Amino acid sequence: MSKIITLKDVKQNEEFIRLIDACNECLKILGYTEHGIRHVGYVSKTTENILRTLGYDARTIELGAIAGWIHDIGNAINRKDHGLTGSVLAYDILIRMGMPPSEVTQIIAAIGNHEEQSGTPMNPISAALIIADKSDAHRSRVRRETADRRDIHDRVNLSIKKNYLAIDKDKKTIRLVIQMDNTSATMEYLQIYLSRMVLSEKAAAYLGCWFELVINGNVINRRRPVDTELKPQADETKVSDD
């Protein structure tokens, strides 16, 4: 019989606890940044905040928080296509916990589509999860015991002193603000995160917003929709390539 499953229920579920621990350990062996409680806690809370700020109902917000908490469990099996693997794992556990299939399908669509290689925002939870996950770059993600500035992932994350999302519902803008020191550079950040930022743009568009990436005070991506820039405005001069 279906029942209301909360984020607290999911956090206390032994299977999810072990899968998150295994995910973090597997990625540690592969040399990736932290993917344990710190990361899933950030993604869960940020997904929740995005949906709340944009005015979604309480249950959608809670489902978003749940999706954020368990989005990476597929890494316990394999890094490649971990979103797809994780969605299958999550479906079985959530159904056995008693969550209605209509809610489970929203969560697994979000988990299965959060990877930049093949993901597409499928519902509000999915879109918010993508932005939350891809925004988590910060020095606190680097594992102290294996930190190596010769590795571009560690170097970029170690250089990020501040990182936050600013959501303006009225202006329909989701802005990712990053402050980096000079131990890395914007170009290095983009080497790693460009495809993730492109997916974040698509996710923000699904939510009816524009996504802006701001690094050290500079707006990196376009602010206006593409179709408004195809033609010169009345007060603009078209420059010939000749």
Side-chain angles (χ1 to χ4, degrees), residues 54-103:
L54 294 179
Y56 285 90
D57 63 273
R59 188 56 183 162
T60 298
I61 293 169
E62 177 125 49
L63 293 178
I66 291 172
W69 190 261
I70 61 176
H71 75 283
D72 263 345
I73 59 174
N75 284 297
I77 297 176
N78 197 298
R79 178 62 176 172
K80 182 176 174 57
D81 296 327
H82 68 273
L84 301 178
T85 307
S87 64
V88 175
L89 291 171
Y91 178 86
D92 179 62
I93 300 172
L94 292 172
I95 287 293
R96 284 190 281 108
M97 290 178 70
M99 180 178 283
S102 59
E103 294 185 347

Side-chain angles (χ1 to χ4, degrees), residues 112-224:
N113 281 280
H114 83 273
E115 296 181 77
E116 62 271 18
Q117 292 85 357
S118 58
T120 301
M122 292 292 180
N123 54 44
I125 295 168
S126 170
L129 172 61
I130 286 169
I131 296 169
D133 182 45
K134 305 316 172 192
S135 70
D136 190 19
H138 190 265
R139 57 181 55 186
S140 59
R141 290 201 70 183
V142 179
R143 302 177 192 269
R144 293 184 179 182
E145 66 272 26
T146 59
D148 183 359
R149 286 193 179 274
R150 292 170 298 179
D151 179 85
I152 187 172
H153 295 85
D154 280 1
R155 187 166 61 249
V156 167
N157 277 276
L158 284 168
S159 75
I160 298 177
K161 302 162 59 178
K162 185 179 291 186
N163 183 349
Y164 64 90
L165 282 171
I167 306 166
D168 191 319
K169 181 180 179 182
D170 295 329
K171 293 183 179 179
K172 299 185 182 304
T173 300
I174 299 175
R175 177 178 297 163
L176 173 57
V177 180
I178 293 174
Q179 291 183 9
M180 302 174 65
D181 64 28
N182 60 10
T183 61
S184 185
T186 299
M187 180 63 78
E188 287 196 321
Y189 176 90
L190 292 176
Q191 280 182 255
I192 303 171
Y193 286 97
L194 181 57
S195 62
R196 305 177 196 184
M197 294 301 100
V198 171
L199 182 57
S200 294
E201 288 184 324
K202 294 178 181 178
Y206 187 97
L207 295 169
C209 298
W210 305 117
F211 179 81
E212 289 183 353
L213 173 62
V214 180
I215 301 179
N216 291 345
N218 299 308
V219 180
I220 305 303
N221 59 332
R222 67 176 72 246
R223 298 190 184 199
R224 295 180 295 176

Side-chain angles (χ1 to χ4, degrees), residues 31 107 155 227:
I107 290 175
R155 187 166 61 249
D227 60 357

Side-chain angles (χ1 to χ4, degrees), residues 41-56 61 64-65 128 132 165 167:
Y42 169 89
V43 176
S44 175
K45 189 64 177 179
T46 304
T47 302
E48 175 184 329
N49 287 340
I50 292 170
L51 293 169
R52 177 178 291 111
T53 303
L54 294 179
Y56 285 90
I61 293 169
L165 282 171
I167 306 166

